[in-house]
Amino acid sequence: MAEERKIPYKIYLEENELPISWYNVRADMKTKPAPLLNPGTGRPMTAEELGGVFCADLVAQELDNDTPYFPIPQEILDFYKMYRPSPLVRAYFLEKELGTPAKIYYKFEGNNTSGSHKLNSAIAQAYYAKKQGLKGVTTETGAGQWGTALSMACAFLGLDCKVFMVKVSYEQKPFRREVMRTYGASVTPSPSMTTDVGKKILEAHPGTTGSLGCAISEAVEVAVKNPGYRYVLGSVLNQVLLHQSVIGLETKAALDKYGIKPDMIIGCAGGGSNLGGLIAPFMGEKLRGEADYDIIAVEPASCPSFTRGKYAYDFCDTGMICPLAKMYTLGSGFIPSPNHAGGLRFHGMSPVLSELYHEGLMRAVAVEQTAVFEAAEQFARVEGILPAPESSHAIRAAIDEALKCKETGEEKTIVFGLTGTGYFDMVAYEKFNNGEMTDYIPTDEDLAPGFASLPKVDYKG
Amino acid sequence: MAEERKIPYKIYLEENELPISWYNVRADMKTKPAPLLNPGTGRPMTAEELGGVFCADLVAQELDNDTPYFPIPQEILDFYKMYRPSPLVRAYFLEKELGTPAKIYYKFEGNNTSGSHKLNSAIAQAYYAKKQGLKGVTTETGAGQWGTALSMACAFLGLDCKVFMVKVSYEQKPFRREVMRTYGASVTPSPSMTTDVGKKILEAHPGTTGSLGCAISEAVEVAVKNPGYRYVLGSVLNQVLLHQSVIGLETKAALDKYGIKPDMIIGCAGGGSNLGGLIAPFMGEKLRGEADYDIIAVEPASCPSFTRGKYAYDFCDTGMICPLAKMYTLGSGFIPSPNHAGGLRFHGMSPVLSELYHEGLMRAVAVEQTAVFEAAEQFARVEGILPAPESSHAIRAAIDEALKCKETGEEKTIVFGLTGTGYFDMVAYEKFNNGEMTDYIPTDEDLAPGFASLPKVDYKG
């Protein structure tokens, strides 16, 4: 048994304690996540087919369900050292505020200019694009964190970066655009008239505020039509979860250093990149039967893919030009109601997490946004960090679990992922501060059109 | 000689290596900074007189020129642990980008929600207000960093917080206001019609965009007129430099840990709080004859108090209701030209730094804002942090010094203070990105009216 040391407020790993490989949880899964399918043939996408959209090395990572560890290239390790390790923080002040016997830790990924964990995968994807001799990459961004992260990575490596930003975020977060421009990226509000798919979507839905699904379609179209460009995606994909495993590996190393064994691991879930990364090594232990953890995905009640979606093949994008993924989905036509303030607005969920959830290896809760912002404000005031709305979903659930411990007297150890900061989300905070924030839970009717669009695919592997 | 260890990208002190006392550089000064004077009597302000405006413990710190170390109260040490230690970063990527033999380090104070070093003094001042049983505090804020920091500290301790925000910043940084509101503060654009002095200033200058000097006048008036309130100030004062010494003490501890002796120490200077804090222990060694350092204050060419100001007694505020301070000043009526984008817009300078500068123990350079933003962008792209305009003044000077080393081949070790992040300064970055940023150097005529307002004080101690 590890000697118990006094736990500092923040645990920082030394540079020589940082992970040097990413961990691929798929290697330990008995049932692998279902493959991406070619919507035309209904057959799994080949490396060659995927290579038209993604870089070759990333395709290899995407398809590899067996290799447990991928060494992190030295250039990426060096870049990581600019902003990693991220601290694992003991939330002493939050515990005191709640009067809970629970011990709460959070892994804080917001201390970099992108404001979130997204940079972990952005630099990896940009690195492989550069290595392949490409000119640039295209992508979509919702809340703007991923676009910012990718802009930073591209600026560092000298790659061109074209970002399609969901229109509602583009309007709510004008300053995000300027950060991306400062890093040399071009930013287009989506849907736009610059792509065929954008024009089509705008014709069908002239007043649309956009969605991640639309923006993905546009970015993919531009990548495919421009030689020397590939598309990169900030979440959902297996490769992204692989890169984000650095979060979980650092978290586990920090906990191990002090002999701490968590009972619960909580993360917000939109496309699943943060959650998948945070839980990776813990889920690995669980899959190998070495340990057990209560793993909780927290999603917005207004975009409830885990808790109300179907586990089925669906398009990742609104324009239906991307491969099909088997995932918990609300239908590729689903767009969260306009009063939804934060990110986490993707209609589907990472196929890896979907399979793990389907097998009962993790659970999910949906929370409403007013309650999320209440948790955000409470957290900000005692822990001193203004959290991103996305991250605040995890805070809400962690507080709720800690309050349960207060009732039962259990001294559970709770770890949650604080994915980012809310400095560019002040329009949403203003709404909350003015008492104008509202909640919306989709009705069955809201979901129906999306569900109806699910393709009739019955791939059995 | 210390064994040379490989220098990591970021040096984090362990919790048990953090400073537990503030260092008071005045104790080592042979000529003490000149005292604050009562503008009515021309005599030094007594503790009793100052006690009407400031908390008792802070008055004691303000007047104490002899005690070298003040123990940091445990509650403040605990608060510091939420966001300290701040990292001392080796700018490997910037060095490579510049091709310089210089070794560049920066102490990064921006990894907290206030976005700057201001939190170091905000929590101290709020703590002593709370200890004295006060209801709340009033203050002014320019760029918004100080106001945000004070809001955070007050929210943490349950104090009321009234902020007067320089009107031009209030308009350029609407989101700053929301951060302060999220932390429960009230924010009023200054000059306002809510105070007598605000009304008077608005009558005289109806179109004014405000200045720190105006906002100070308003905040002091409200503090003096409301029982249970005191005024707090984010810079200039001796007490603030004392609290900010935590920056320099951590920097020195981190350097000592790796046996690094800097040649130059560079910091931006507005009122002097960051610079005074950063250089404190190094200046102490210099004053005691134990070591020598080239210490450089960097100020905006558009608000050049060190390089073009007079060393004379002047008001700290535009309304001329505050005590007189002997400092390098452009005159209390001086307001930087409207095209000035960043902070550092105070007409005077810390009396401690003014005396040190006057004695030739440090030097100063003035830089123009377009060159500052060029440095900011270059830094952001290679070091991954989008810096505050204020901090970017120090970056500009550090880059210039490193380029001189490239010419001479000297392997100087340069340490600079990166006081904060620019996430709320995107209006200024947008101007820069659009090529619309301009420079303005005040003419002698611009300075004359301010200089003319200097009171005829001839206090000799």
Side-chain angles (χ1 to χ4, degrees), chain B residues 28-44:
Chain B
D28 284 309
M29 291 169 71
K30 275 186 205 105
T31 305
K32 306 297 180 188
L36 297 172
L37 297 188
N38 181 321
T41 66
R43 299 290 310 159

Side-chain angles (χ1 to χ4, degrees), chain A residues 380-392:
Chain A
R381 292 187 180 193
V382 295
E383 288 289 324
I385 297 168
L386 188 83
E390 294 83 349
S391 325
S392 305

Side-chain angles (χ1 to χ4, degrees), chain A residues 8-10 15 82-84 93 113 152 177-178 181-183 380-381 384-386 423 430 433-434, chain B residues 8-10 15 82-84 93 113 152 177-178 181-183 380-381 384-386 423 430 433-434:
Chain A
Y9 279 66
K10 293 185 291 181
E15 219 168 71
M82 282 204 316
Y83 69 99
R84 308 202 67 82
F93 291 119
T113 287
M152 290 172 67
R177 180 195 66 215
E178 285 310 318
R181 286 183 72 207
T182 303
Y183 283 94
R381 292 187 180 193
I385 297 168
L386 188 83
Y423 309 148
E430 182 173 10
N433 291 335
N434 292 341
Chain B
Y9 279 66
K10 292 184 291 181
E15 220 168 70
M82 284 204 316
Y83 68 100
R84 308 202 68 83
F93 291 119
T113 287
M152 291 172 67
R177 181 195 62 214
E178 286 309 319
R181 286 184 70 207
T182 303
Y183 283 95
R381 292 188 179 191
I385 297 169
L386 188 83
Y423 309 148
E430 182 173 10
N433 291 335
N434 292 342

